Amino acid sequence: MLIISVRALLPAALAIAAATAGAADPQNQINLTVDATMDIYRAGGYNDSSDGIPPVVLTFAARAGRTMTFPSVGGAWTCQNGEPEFGADGETSGYCFTSGGPTNFNSIGPFSGYHMTDFVDALVGVFLEDSLPTTPAPALRFYVSDSSQGGIQTDFLTLSPQVGQVFFIGDGLTGTGIGQLQTFVVPPTATHLYLGFVDNCRAPNNNVPGCYSDNVGSLNVTVFLRKYAPDWVEPTLSTAPSARCCVGMVYDAAHGYTLLFGGGAAGQPNPNPHNDTWIWRNDGWHQLSPATSPPARNGPTLVYDPSTETVLLFGGGAADGTFLNDTWTWDGVTWTQQFPAVSPPGRELDVPGMAYDAATKTVILFGGDGNVALGDTWEWDGRTKQWTQLFPATSPSPREDAPLAYDPLTSEIVLFGGYGSAGDLSDTWTWNGTTWTQQFPAASPSARHSSSIAYDTTLGRVVLFGGVENTIAPALNDTWEWNGSTWTQRQTSSQPGPRYTAGMDFDPLSDALVLFAGWMECCTPDDDTWLLVPVPDR
């Protein structure tokens, strides 16, 4: 078993190996010049009507398992001729900064917005495919020291931007001119990296691109492209949630952390539920103390809703055996109960039973345990705060403990297995925004329920881990990937112990699938944390 410090995990493995490989494999190192007049929102030939010029571009073949680092970023520039120049990390005070308030760019054409809290004018990038995105990705927020608006601090160790999502690069180090190399995960479908700037006319009063033509100076940027493969590792942690199963767990993109709520300790059938709230950052677990929390429960289901930048919580099982059907939202500060006119019947969902459908901008819920296995499909619209039952032409059979995950590469929600009237299942279904369709892949995991599932941005695959067949059988610890048409088992040199009903999601700041706890066997939960992380391919 490999046990290492979570804080040291990614920079040690990726940055050091990348530097070592760079000396032996110089063709992976590229030097680019970024002129101060380059507008990132002109990437891919798009015209945002600014006075800037198109950004510089690096082109490469699409392939999963790549990272970029920026081992050398030199030069200086400024927002107006005659003003003091600054480096790639931008300016936190001075003529170009003008104010300490946040600067918010909304999405522009096919590109995401870009938010800055206490700095301006850093080097930024955007990954694109051969064609422009049809819809913009969510905007990222970055800050240097002022976390009052939430977001991602600029000293992050790793970042996994989406295609079309404008992201901070700066000088490529955790500090300014010092620190560790930061690692940027290349989206598996990306074929281009564009480098430029986000400029405007005296932020924060004018939040549209412009005022590029009077910029002067340039940056000299070295880009290092690296290939890697995933492996499971167990970090050493100073604190963690207590041992439990059946947690609600999801990455909160608006606030830059993985959110965990509730779950149950040892005991059946309703194992001593919790109502505590925890977050995972790349330095470990931290407990929060919100002013308001949902009642304790086992098996709530959580999903991030980009349309409202909140996390949605639904249902679960109370200590007295009651199946809950209350709806709550998390805004980064506290939990708020919602009171829709209609709600799905109460149910427990020990693994993710909801997924966000980017095409319809709604959340889809399917099945669960409500004294009997359920087979209903519901839609939550976070903008109107209403549940609506859907009646698709085709549906999976009623089942409980069938995990769901959204696959952005196919724009479909994927469902695998679960437990129904005939026992454990091994079927695969996809939701296309209108109906369910059964898939017939050439290979599949064995029949099981209570698996963990999440989309891994690094791999560009839906990943399924573990589960159990018939509950009394030994739990499983195999790792599978869905590529949109079939399942493939992923072989790793290490793996978590067998388990089911574990929490799992992808955390782009850790560049890892984060797996937490679950039943190791009936009915003994654990409190361990595992990460499926990129390990450099030497």
Side-chain angles (χ1 to χ4, degrees):
M1 180 182 296
L2 176 61
I3 302 179
I4 56 180
S5 166
V6 67
R7 188 69 182 174
L9 174 65
L10 292 169
L14 293 174
I16 294 175
T20 302
D25 198 12
Q27 66 267 27
N28 289 341
Q29 187 167 296
I30 303 98
N31 297 313
L32 301 171
T33 299
V34 186
D35 189 85
T37 60
M38 289 180 173
D39 175 5
I40 197 66
Y41 287 105
R42 285 182 171 267
Y46 184 75
N47 184 0
D48 66 348
S49 301
S50 78
D51 59 344
I53 65 172
V56 66
V57 60
L58 169 63
T59 299
F60 43 87
R63 187 172 69 186
R66 280 181 164 176
T67 62
M68 284 185 180
T69 55
F70 299 86
S72 176
V73 181
W77 74 288
T78 186
C79 64
Q80 184 169 308
N81 192 17
E83 296 300 325
E85 294 186 343
F86 44 83
D89 276 350
E91 189 178 73
T92 57
S93 62
Y95 175 83
C96 301
F97 184 60
T98 73
S99 169
T103 301
N104 301 314
F105 284 83
N106 295 323
S107 59
I108 298 171
F111 303 108
S112 76
Y114 180 72
H115 302 330
M116 300 162 279
T117 296
D118 54 1
F119 72 102
V120 294
D121 293 338
L123 175 67
V124 299
V126 66
F127 288 111
L128 291 182
E129 299 170 348
D130 289 337
S131 58
L132 293 174
T134 55
T135 57
L140 297 176
R141 174 177 292 282
F142 297 92
Y143 68 91
V144 176
S145 59
D146 181 0
S147 63
S148 62
Q149 302 289 318
I152 302 167
Q153 195 165 18
T154 54
D155 68 350
F156 57 83
L157 299 176
T158 64
L159 189 68
S160 296
Q162 300 177 32
V163 170
Q165 193 171 52
V166 178
F167 61 95
F168 169 88
I169 297 174
D171 66 359
L173 302 172
T174 54
T176 298
I178 59 172
Q180 301 179 76
L181 274 174
Q182 296 172 303
T183 300
F184 300 82
V185 178
V186 181
T189 60
T191 52
H192 307 280
L193 169 70
Y194 291 85
L195 300 178
F197 300 98
V198 176
D199 197 8
N200 67 346
C201 299
R202 303 300 294 272
N205 300 315
N206 184 354
N207 296 334
V208 295
C211 295
Y212 287 90
S213 58
D214 58 353
N215 296 347
V216 294
S218 63
L219 300 177
N220 302 309
V221 180
T222 299
V223 185
F224 187 88
L225 189 61
R226 185 78 174 119
K227 188 177 185 295
Y228 57 90
D231 199 7
W232 288 103
V233 298
E234 184 180 11
T236 300
L237 304 173
S238 59
T239 186
S242 59
R244 63 188 71 185
C245 76
C246 322
V247 300
M249 187 165 149
V250 72
Y251 181 73
D252 182 347
H255 302 99
Y257 50 64
T258 288
L259 180 72
L260 181 150
F261 178 83
Q268 290 277 42
N270 295 288
N272 303 324
H274 298 278
N275 75 330
D276 46 352
T277 300
W278 292 76
I279 61 171
W280 166 270
R281 297 187 189 274
N282 58 14
D283 61 348
W285 289 103
H286 306 272
Q287 187 171 5
L288 303 183
S289 300
T292 305
S293 293
R297 65 196 62 204
N298 184 59
T301 186
L302 269 63
V303 68
Y304 177 70
D305 183 352
S307 71
T308 58
E309 296 187 336
T310 60
V311 170
L312 174 71
L313 179 153
F314 177 79
D320 63 2
T322 302
F323 291 103
L324 303 170
N325 75 332
D326 49 348
T327 301
W328 294 75
T329 54
W330 170 259
D331 62 2
V333 177
T334 193
W335 292 98
T336 301
Q337 187 171 2
Q338 306 298 331
F339 296 94
V342 178
S343 292
R347 66 196 68 197
E348 184 175 319
L349 300 117
D350 291 340
V351 292
M354 296 192 300
Y356 181 76
D357 186 342
T360 59
K361 294 183 171 59
T362 59
V363 171
I364 297 298
L365 178 148
F366 177 82
D369 179 9
N371 283 320
V372 295
L374 301 170
D376 48 349
T377 300
W378 289 78
E379 179 182 71
W380 168 260
D381 189 330
R383 296 157 296 181
T384 62
K385 294 183 171 59
Q386 294 297 324
W387 285 105
T388 302
Q389 186 171 3
L390 304 180
F391 297 93
T394 308
S395 290
S397 59
R399 63 192 69 196
E400 57 190 79
D401 298 332
L404 277 68
Y406 181 72
D407 183 351
L409 297 186
T410 61
S411 300
E412 294 177 328
I413 292 172
V414 181
L415 176 152
F416 178 79
Y419 186 84
S421 60
D424 285 291
L425 301 163
S426 63
D427 49 349
T428 300
W429 292 76
T430 55
W431 171 263
N432 65 0
T434 304
T435 193
W436 291 99
T437 301
Q438 186 172 1
Q439 305 297 327
F440 296 93
S444 291
S446 59
R448 65 189 71 192
H449 68 273
S450 302
S451 302
S452 303
I453 198 169
Y455 179 79
D456 188 318
T457 301
T458 300
L459 296 174
R461 298 286 187 268
V462 171
V463 175
L464 181 142
F465 177 83
V468 67
E469 184 177 5
N470 295 327
T471 304
I472 59 173
L476 302 164
N477 70 337
D478 45 353
T479 303
W480 291 79
E481 299 172 6
W482 172 256
N483 68 359
S485 60
T486 194
W487 291 96
T488 303
Q489 188 170 0
R490 165 69 68 173
Q491 302 296 335
T492 56
S493 61
S494 61
Q495 55 274 327
R499 69 193 63 209
Y500 59 106
T501 66
M504 188 171 78
D505 82 317
F506 183 79
D507 189 315
L509 296 186
S510 299
D511 186 27
L513 278 178
V514 182
L515 179 79
F516 174 72
W519 294 123
M520 310 306 287
E521 58 183 66
C522 186
C523 306
T524 305
D526 209 334
D527 64 350
D528 56 346
T529 300
W530 287 79
L531 307 176
L532 185 65
V533 297
V535 175
D537 181 2
R538 294 182 183 274

